Amino acid sequence: MAFDDRIDQALHGALSALGHQGAPPRLAAAIPYAVFPAGARIRPTILLAVATACGDDRPEVATAAAVALELIHCASLVHDDLPVFDNAGLRRGKPSLHRAFGEPLAVLAGDSLIVMGFEVLARAGATAPDRALALTACLARHTGAPHGICAGQAWESEQKVDLAAYHRAKTAALFVAATQMGAIAAGQDAEPWVDLGARIGEAFQVADDLKDALLTSDQTGKPCGQDAAHLRPSAVQTMGVDGAMQHMKDILGGAIASIPSCPGEAMLANLVLAYARKMTVLPMAASKDPA
Amino acid sequence: MAFDDRIDQALHGALSALGHQGAPPRLAAAIPYAVFPAGARIRPTILLAVATACGDDRPEVATAAAVALELIHCASLVHDDLPVFDNAGLRRGKPSLHRAFGEPLAVLAGDSLIVMGFEVLARAGATAPDRALALTACLARHTGAPHGICAGQAWESEQKVDLAAYHRAKTAALFVAATQMGAIAAGQDAEPWVDLGARIGEAFQVADDLKDALLTSDQTGKPCGQDAAHLRPSAVQTMGVDGAMQHMKDILGGAIASIPSCPGEAMLANLVLAYARKMTVLPMAASKDPA
């Protein structure tokens, strides 16, 4: 099964319990609204690609890990879009969750998605308890404080920002989780996979800065020009558009070079190249378009 | 060691990682602010009491479970206090977290505490992976959606409220988690312990309604009169003060009768009686005080 289908089928399965009797109907509607329709699903795809490259001997565990990671990512989008943070009205081409359901349900849907991520891992543990626990610890480390995406977002509430720590936590953390969890799900050592995740995350951050600076909301399905509006540090601001574009290519080259030697090495390199093309094609066109 | 000391020592241990280099300082300060000074720690105390009654053969697992449960409870207080919910300015006798640190950090501290709860369980899993996974599944079920405290809070965003489901999820869920997790941490079947948790939770809800109606902020360390202000259903509203008081005593009688036969049965009955006295003494005095 293609990674996309595997991820979406499993996400539907994870959310199916929300239809149970006794669930508050609006929360039960808000949670799937945060998860579908699919975004790029880039983090769980990387996770499954690494698991596959590592042999994927427990596909049900890798699938659960991919679902857990995507649920946490969706939770972070819902909370980051809140008026107290980005106050984003658009997400994946439709009204952000708090615009559609109100702020209380946006807070609670985000909370529920975080919990559900860990619940999915616990349920997958029946056949491989040690892997499920290692996956839980890895996902928690990259989600919470002091070094996960919560910490990353919290840097925006600081007067003095540690820029390296900010980017590492805000964006790279879930990419490192993706590569590490892929390895853990397949019973392999996670450590050699840190670099690949960190570099993809770094490239993704630069690509995001470029898209935010160069594209329109119609092209991205979310508000643009947010870095400048919120005075957030960005690669475009520090290196200019051409500099940022070159920087991203260099990082992706480093990412490919960092892939640990394994049977799926070529497949993974192709995946990174495909993402690189996807990440650059729109900003590239926009930067050449004087309109 | 007394339950209180055991819980507080372990909570300090769980939070110690926040001092690590690279953590955003204000988030690293906000998270302990949500956990200390101690509230009643009633949920983790019940958990440890049930674990003790069941033999407590893996005390480190029971302690981790108690910490995880309390962290989730603290997270729920932080998020429930937010302006979009109760807009509470006081909590445990000091400014609520969003008043002290701002709303963005209140959202993120709550998120981080949820994540940390599951992280603590995963770390405790080294010696007893199956118990850690069962504890994770149990805690998640009673925290998220469709039936946990997130769902409970979400009922307040519904036009038509299923009152039984609302109270079961909003208040009873974490008490059921407490008794069930105590049993699981000690390697016992969780099912026989559901009733005790549900009844303590129900009594606690009635006691809370009484305190909200009868006491002042000085006495409770949090805003009072909130049920009436937010038009929330309450036992005082439906049965009056005397009716609610009698109802609470009946429920606690039922709670004691529901304690499964075990070596710690008498100790648990005493614990419930002690809480009953604690829960009734202030409202009782207030209801007799015409001022």
Side-chain angles (χ1 to χ4, degrees), chain B:
Chain B
M1 201 189 313
F3 291 154
D4 275 4
D5 295 337
R6 190 171 157 190
I7 294 162
D8 269 28
Q9 238 175 59
L11 280 168
H12 279 291
L15 297 183
S16 62
L18 293 170
H20 281 189
Q21 222 189 350
R26 294 187 68 230
L27 179 67
I31 294 172
Y33 185 90
V35 179
F36 299 103
R41 307 282 193 228
I42 179 167
R43 294 160 191 77
T45 302
I46 292 169
L47 190 156
L48 290 181
V50 171
T52 302
C54 291
D56 202 18
D57 64 335
R58 292 264 189 207
E60 77 286 3
V61 177
T63 303
V67 165
L69 181 61
E70 182 64 12
L71 292 174
I72 294 283
H73 172 60
C74 292
S76 78
L77 297 181
V78 172
H79 280 187
D80 288 359
D81 282 346
L82 284 169
V84 292
F85 297 111
D86 292 355
N87 194 19
L90 268 182
R91 170 64 66 186
R92 293 176 178 171
K94 61 181 186 176
S96 55
L97 201 144
H98 67 274
R99 292 281 168 93
F101 289 87
E103 285 183 58
L105 284 172
V107 173
L108 294 169
D111 291 354
S112 302
L113 285 164
I114 298 173
V115 173
M116 199 179 284
F118 292 105
E119 194 167 16
V120 165
L121 289 177
R123 276 209 226 103
T127 58
D130 290 333
R131 291 189 200 178
L133 286 170
L135 288 166
T136 303
C138 181
L139 184 59
R141 191 167 54 247
H142 292 107
T143 301
H147 297 136
I149 50 172
C150 291
Q153 184 69 23
W155 275 113
E156 296 180 14
S157 294
E158 294 292 336
Q159 287 281 328
K160 209 178 141 209
V161 179
D162 176 337
L163 264 187
Y166 169 59
H167 281 134
R168 221 168 26 233
K170 166 127 187 175
T171 310
L174 284 196
F175 286 95
V176 176
T179 54
Q180 288 197 299
M181 290 172 78
I184 295 167
Q188 301 297 314
D189 183 13
E191 212 40 44
W193 293 92
V194 171
D195 249 25
L196 177 63
R199 283 165 205 257
I200 298 176
E202 208 187 332
F204 192 84
Q205 177 64 53
V206 178
D208 218 48
D209 290 354
L210 280 162
K211 283 195 268 182
D212 185 73
L214 299 172
L215 302 188
T216 65
S217 294
D218 282 351
Q219 291 168 300
T220 64
K222 61 182 183 179
C224 288
Q226 293 297 296
D227 290 336
H230 295 276
L231 301 174
R232 279 192 298 235
S234 115
V236 175
Q237 179 204 39
T238 48
M239 342 187 168
V241 170
D242 289 347
M245 205 85 84
Q246 186 54 48
H247 184 49
M248 188 175 66
K249 286 181 193 163
D250 293 346
I251 300 167
L252 286 167
I256 289 170
S258 84
I259 297 173
S261 168
C262 65
E265 205 175 330
M267 178 270 289
L268 271 175
N270 282 332
L271 182 84
V272 174
L273 283 172
Y275 274 124
R277 268 192 299 277
K278 227 174 173 174
M279 285 196 271
T280 42
V281 63
L282 271 176
M284 193 89 78
S287 75
K288 286 179 183 152
D289 179 359

Side-chain angles (χ1 to χ4, degrees), chain A residues 6 22 40 59 65 75 80 95 158 160 174 177 189 206 235 249:
Chain A
R6 191 170 155 189
D80 289 359
E158 294 291 337
K160 211 178 139 212
L174 284 195
D189 183 15
V206 179
K249 287 181 193 163

Side-chain angles (χ1 to χ4, degrees), chain A residues 161-261:
Chain A
V161 179
D162 176 338
L163 265 188
Y166 168 59
H167 281 134
R168 221 168 25 234
K170 165 125 187 176
T171 309
L174 284 195
F175 286 96
V176 177
T179 54
Q180 288 197 299
M181 290 172 79
I184 296 167
Q188 300 298 312
D189 183 15
E191 212 40 45
W193 293 92
V194 170
D195 249 24
L196 176 62
R199 284 166 204 257
I200 298 176
E202 208 186 332
F204 192 83
Q205 177 65 54
V206 179
D208 218 47
D209 291 354
L210 281 162
K211 284 196 270 182
D212 185 73
L214 299 172
L215 301 188
T216 65
S217 294
D218 282 351
Q219 290 169 301
T220 64
K222 60 182 184 178
C224 286
Q226 293 296 297
D227 291 336
H230 295 275
L231 302 172
R232 280 192 297 235
S234 114
V236 175
Q237 179 203 40
T238 49
M239 333 182 175
V241 170
D242 288 348
M245 205 83 85
Q246 186 55 48
H247 184 48
M248 187 174 66
K249 287 181 193 163
D250 292 346
I251 300 167
L252 286 167
I256 289 169
S258 84
I259 296 173
S261 168

